[in-house]
Amino acid sequence: MKVQCYHFTKNGTASALAEKMARHFQLKCDKIPPSFQPEREAVVFIITEPDSAPESALLKFLNTLTVDKTKTVAFAMIGGGDKGLDKMKAAIGDDKVKIHDDVFMCEVQKKMFKGKFVSDEDTQKAIDWAQGIIDSLRS
């Protein structure tokens, strides 16, 4: 099954989580806008940090997603709820692309001298969430 992971981040937490997920599942991982567009993927994971007004680069990328590129899109929002999620869903360029209902959300941890990061526990929850989506698409 073809799967890809993309991230859009301002402070690095979304990219760190995306890279950990990609390593676990042995997936391609790329920033948005990506170097290479997805092609015939079963699912594309979009890992981002909530923003009430998502950046135009993210919205433009989402607008390029068609059923030729992916059948399903799944969102993970890192640190701060689901601000901007409706705009991102509406930006997907093809109404035949399925948007997975289950959105993964977690908070970021803050430690002195380490900055912001996603905890190991939340990372494992994200991996379990992604595995559940992949398994549901196989059946």
Side-chain angles (χ1 to χ4, degrees):
M1 175 179 300
K2 289 183 67 178
V3 178
Q4 280 201 35
C5 191
Y6 293 96
H7 58 85
F8 191 85
T9 187
K10 290 182 182 178
N11 65 25
T13 54
S15 62
L17 178 62
E19 288 167 10
K20 288 177 184 177
M21 287 176 58
R23 240 179 286 133
H24 177 82
F25 291 109
Q26 298 178 347
L27 307 174
K28 290 181 187 176
C29 181
D30 205 351
K31 64 179 173 29
I32 295 173
S35 301
F36 300 98
Q37 291 288 321
E39 186 176 318
R40 289 177 271 177
E41 308 296 333
V43 63
V44 168
F45 292 105
I46 306 289
I47 319 299
T48 187
E49 296 153 5
D51 192 347
S52 56
E55 302 249 349
S56 64
L58 174 59
L59 296 176
K60 284 179 186 176
F61 171 71
L62 293 171
N63 192 256
T64 67
L65 296 179
T66 63
V67 291
D68 293 331
K69 293 184 178 185
T70 185
K71 292 179 182 172
T72 306
V73 174
F75 289 98
M77 308 294 282
I78 310 304
D82 63 354
K83 289 184 272 181
L85 182 61
D86 291 336
K87 289 179 185 177
M88 289 187 287
K89 287 179 177 181
I92 292 178
D94 190 338
D95 61 355
K96 294 177 186 171
V97 173
K98 181 184 183 299
I99 301 170
H100 202 276
D101 294 332
D102 186 17
V103 176
F104 178 77
M105 288 191 263
C106 73
E107 293 299 318
V108 292
Q109 308 295 314
K110 296 174 188 164
K111 281 193 176 176
M112 194 179 307
F113 306 117
K114 275 194 160 185
K116 297 179 179 181
F117 66 98
V118 176
S119 70
D120 292 340
E121 181 181 333
D122 283 337
T123 299
Q124 187 58 51
K125 287 179 185 177
I127 289 169
D128 294 343
W129 165 78
Q131 185 66 58
I133 292 171
I134 292 168
D135 290 345
S136 73
L137 295 174
R138 284 188 179 141
S139 56

